Structure formats: structure tokens, C-alpha cells
Amino acid sequence: MWTKQKLHEILCEPSERLVEDMKRLDGDIMILGAGGKMGPTMSILAANAFRKGGIDHKVYAVSRFSDSSVRKELEDNGVNVISCDLEKAEEIAKLPDVKNIVFMVGRKFGTDGGEALTWGMNAAVPVLVLERFHDSSFVVFSSGNVYDLPEASSGGSLETDKVRPIGEYTQSVLARERIFDYYARRYGTKSLIFRLDYSIALEYGVLADIAKKIVDGKPLSIENSCFNCIWQGDANEYALRSLLLVDNPPKRLNVSGPETNGVKATALKLAKLLGKEVTFEGEPSSNAYLVNCGECHKLMGYPRTSIDTMIEYQAQWILDGGEYINKPTHFEERKGSY
Ligand SMILES: NC(=O)c1ccc[n+]([C@@H]2O[C@H](COP(=O)([O-])OP(=O)(O)OC[C@H]3O[C@@H](n4cnc5c(N)ncnc54)[C@H](OP(=O)(O)O)[C@@H]3O)[C@@H](O)[C@H]2O)c1
């Protein structure tokens, strides 16, 4: 039986390879924007890896913590919690000096009509943080959608491909990347730009979005015909392990699972497990947002959780009455409107 507690336990269980990498990491870890979908379990995962490896380093989780229950869960699991508004330089000034930083604060939804706030969060906040922390090393969350839409048959965009972000959210994410490039030149700041495509954690994600359409009996668009995704626990492990791969100039890394998943095929598998019918609308386009993650898997190995396991987890989560947190990925969006 799935419960939120069971989900978090699985997401926060460190692998041996994470523990071994954390033994090689010099210094504490600070996670900025830790109060969102990925940050809480990443913070606890890091604390668990330190504990399991007998490593005497601290994990700091920094966010505004609008959800106070998140704060308690983190504290109960040995994470040092710091409430901080990262839009305010005077609050950033008070943060502890930490060598390794995961930068995951950002804004996506509400960009249409709230463009200034999105640019402020994604392009101005990095400047405030880097003015204070340019001597630290960063893993910087970005998106696989900074590339142009590649042909579905191409196997996905490579890190060496040209960027051509569509829409203001993705443009502001590219601005975030460029700010880190600038500080690398100016101060020698090392970083790794973590171009993530679609983390899955049952309460949200592409699979949850597809399953919701099935459960609601609504037609599913197959215009964006395929997608990549990765289990949140694996994505969080890659992010922490990437702290060992920072570089100057900043290294780009596509991060997702190894499969190119068909929307239609995935929906049919989910529908069967849910005992429901699924209907489709639209015609598949020849291109789709896809990233090639060969470099990530070469450097850090394949993710632990396969796509079929995620699909089974997702269906059972719904059958067990699990929550959908209503933060849709909009994976079907092709014009950059969020
Ligand atoms: N999830 C994915 O599949 C995915 C895919 C590609 C890229 N990304 C990017 O990866 C990052 C992490 O993903 P996520 O899904 O965990 O994002 P998320 O749910 O949006 O979490 C980001 C968190 O940052 C915190 N924050 C916002 N404004 C802040 C401020 N002024 N000061 C301090 N903290 C602030 C918020 O928590 P508080 O309310 O506690 O402050 C927010 O929940 C994001 O930048 C996202 O765009 C995610």
C-alpha cells in the first residue's frame, strides 16, 4: 500500500554509489530552493548518505518554507533548515559559508502574465546568490527545454547542440545558465548546469499528468508524441553526485532516463493497470522535447528505477488513493506558454 511516508522513504534511500561519491566530496552541502517538489527529499537523501557513509558533513536546506510541515520533516531527519528569502541580498548575506551548493530555486508556472517575476527569480536571484557565493561550487538546475525541438527520431538534443529556448520561461532559464557562465569567467566559479527533463514522484510528473487524464476520462493530446522522464530519487542522486563534476567553464549535462517514451504507449500501459479506457486527440508531430542523456549515464551509470517500474508505481499510487498535488508539468506544451 502506497503512502506519502513510503514514497519519501524510497526517495530518500541512498545508493552505495551515492554514499561512495559523498565520501569524496569536500565540505558541507547547501540546497537553495529546498522547499519545493524535489528539494525536501534531496536534502534528506544527502543527510542519509552522509550518515550511512559515516561522513561528518552538514546539509543545509534553504527556502522560505511556505509549507511548515516540510520544515519539520527536514529537521526530524537531521537537515539544518534555514528560512531565507533568496530575493533579498540582506538575507543571503546571513547564510553560512558552504563549499557545495545545489541551486534549484526558480519559477515556471504563472509566467504568462507574470513575466517580470519569472525573470527576477530565474535571472536576478542567481546574481544575488553569486555575489555572495562565487567562491563556492554549484550544481545549477536548468531544463532540457532550452534546446530547439529536435526531431523525435533523433534520440534527443545533445549538450553540444545549439540552444533556442521557446517562450519566456525557458529564455529566463537560459539567462540563469548565462549568469553562471559570466561568474565562471569573472571569478572562476565552478558549476555544472543540470538540464533536467521531467522528474517523477507519483504526486506530480508526466506519468501523474497522463494518469489524471485517464482517470478524469479526458482525451490525451499526442501532438508532443514522446518524452523522457526520471525517477525523482535518481534525479536527486545525480544532482548530488554532480557536485563532483563541476567545472570552469561550466559543464552542461542532460539528465533524464535512458528511454524515449511514447505518450500513447505509456498511456495504454497506465490505462490497463488502472482498469480504464483512454482516448487520444491530435496528430503526432515529427519533433518533441527530448534530451540525449548518454553523457550523464556514461559518467554516473544508469538510473536505478526503470520506466516500467515507475508506470507500475504510478498506477498503484492512484489505486491506493494517493494525492495528485496539481502542479502539472505541461509536458505537452510546445509553444513555451506556462
Ligand atoms: N521537477 C521537474 O521535473 C523539473 C524539470 C526541469 C527543471 N526543473 C527545475 O528544477 C528546480 C527544482 O525543481 P522543483 O520541481 O523542486 O521546483 P519547485 O517545486 O518550483 O521548487 C522550487 C522552490 O523554490 C522555493 N522558492 C521560491 N521562491 C523563493 C525565494 N524567493 N526564496 C527562497 N526560496 C524560494 C519555493 O519553496 P518555498 O515556498 O519554501 O520558498 C519553491 O517551492 C526548479 O528550478 C525547476 O524549474 C524541475
Side-chain angles (χ1 to χ4, degrees):
M1 171 88 182
W2 277 102
T3 58
K4 191 162 177 153
Q5 190 188 343
K6 176 177 162 181
L7 172 62
H8 278 208
E9 279 169 14
I10 292 175
L11 291 172
C12 299
E13 178 61 41
S15 68
E16 276 309 316
R17 59 191 185 181
L18 174 63
V19 174
E20 289 311 308
D21 273 3
M22 290 302 97
K23 285 181 186 166
R24 296 197 291 126
L25 190 72
D26 180 19
D28 298 337
I29 295 177
M30 183 157 68
I31 298 168
L32 303 180
K37 299 187 291 300
M38 301 182 69
T41 58
M42 181 191 294
S43 306
I44 296 170
L45 179 70
N48 287 347
F50 283 166
R51 205 174 300 120
K52 201 168 165 183
I55 304 157
D56 189 23
H57 289 154
K58 293 191 183 71
V59 179
Y60 296 96
V62 177
S63 227
R64 293 163 308 179
F65 293 105
S66 351
D67 180 348
S68 57
S69 65
V70 173
R71 189 186 177 102
K72 177 157 183 352
E73 187 187 4
L74 290 169
E75 284 170 345
D76 289 348
N77 284 279
V79 174
N80 297 273
V81 177
I82 304 177
S83 291
C84 173
D85 185 344
L86 292 163
E87 288 168 75
K88 295 184 178 155
E90 65 276 19
E91 294 196 20
I92 296 172
K94 292 184 203 147
L95 293 173
D97 290 330
V98 173
K99 174 102 187 283
N100 307 292
I101 301 182
V102 179
F103 186 101
M104 55 195 317
V105 61
R107 183 171 192 266
K108 178 175 183 181
F109 301 113
T111 295
D112 285 7
E115 290 83 356
L117 187 51
T118 294
W119 281 93
M121 287 304 302
N122 295 343
V125 167
V127 174
L128 298 179
V129 168
L130 280 159
E131 281 299 313
R132 163 77 175 83
F133 285 107
H134 49 70
D135 293 334
S136 298
S137 297
F138 287 84
V139 167
V140 183
F141 272 62
S142 179
S143 165
N145 292 13
V146 291
Y147 303 105
D148 201 358
L149 278 160
E151 285 300 303
S153 59
S154 69
S157 302
L158 288 164
E159 289 86 347
T160 45
D161 286 351
K162 276 217 160 77
V163 286
R164 202 169 78 90
I166 303 168
E168 294 211 29
Y169 159 68
T170 328
Q171 288 161 4
S172 71
V173 169
L174 181 60
R176 181 195 295 161
E177 292 193 6
R178 294 295 184 228
I179 302 290
F180 278 88
D181 290 336
Y182 173 73
Y183 277 82
R185 279 177 176 236
R186 182 149 179 217
Y187 292 106
T189 310
K190 289 186 176 176
S191 60
L192 179 142
I193 307 289
F194 194 82
R195 288 178 172 162
L196 174 65
D197 250 357
Y198 302 127
S199 162
I200 300 286
L202 310 186
E203 299 168 295
Y204 82 97
V206 180
L207 298 180
D209 293 344
I210 293 175
K212 174 124 180 55
K213 288 268 170 150
I214 298 169
V215 171
D216 292 349
K218 292 194 177 146
L220 179 68
S221 168
I222 52 169
E223 198 188 337
N224 196 64
S225 62
C226 41
F227 66 97
N228 305 119
C229 67
I230 179 167
W231 182 242
Q232 183 175 291
D234 288 316
N236 280 344
E237 287 220 358
Y238 283 146
L240 294 169
R241 296 174 67 207
S242 292
L243 288 165
L244 292 171
L245 302 174
V246 295
D247 209 350
N248 177 18
K251 179 171 177 59
R252 265 71 184 167
L253 196 66
N254 293 338
V255 180
S256 198
E259 305 89 356
T260 298
N261 306 295
V263 172
K264 200 168 180 177
T266 304
L268 288 168
K269 279 186 189 171
L270 275 168
K272 189 171 176 202
L273 291 165
L274 290 166
K276 302 259 185 203
E277 295 295 316
V278 55
T279 56
F280 301 103
E281 66 181 7
E283 284 300 315
S285 295
S286 62
N287 54 17
Y289 279 119
L290 288 173
V291 281
N292 182 311
C293 299
E295 171 80 354
C296 172
H297 303 148
K298 182 185 83 181
L299 291 171
M300 294 191 273
Y302 282 118
R304 283 191 293 174
T305 314
S306 74
I307 181 66
D308 280 13
T309 304
M310 285 186 255
I311 291 172
E312 282 169 22
Y313 282 179
Q314 186 67 58
Q316 199 55 47
W317 173 262
I318 290 167
L319 294 171
D320 290 345
E323 196 189 354
Y324 174 76
I325 57 175
N326 202 23
K327 291 189 177 169
T329 57
H330 296 291
F331 74 96
E332 65 281 37
E333 173 58 42
R334 295 164 54 81
K335 298 200 175 93
S337 177
Y338 298 102

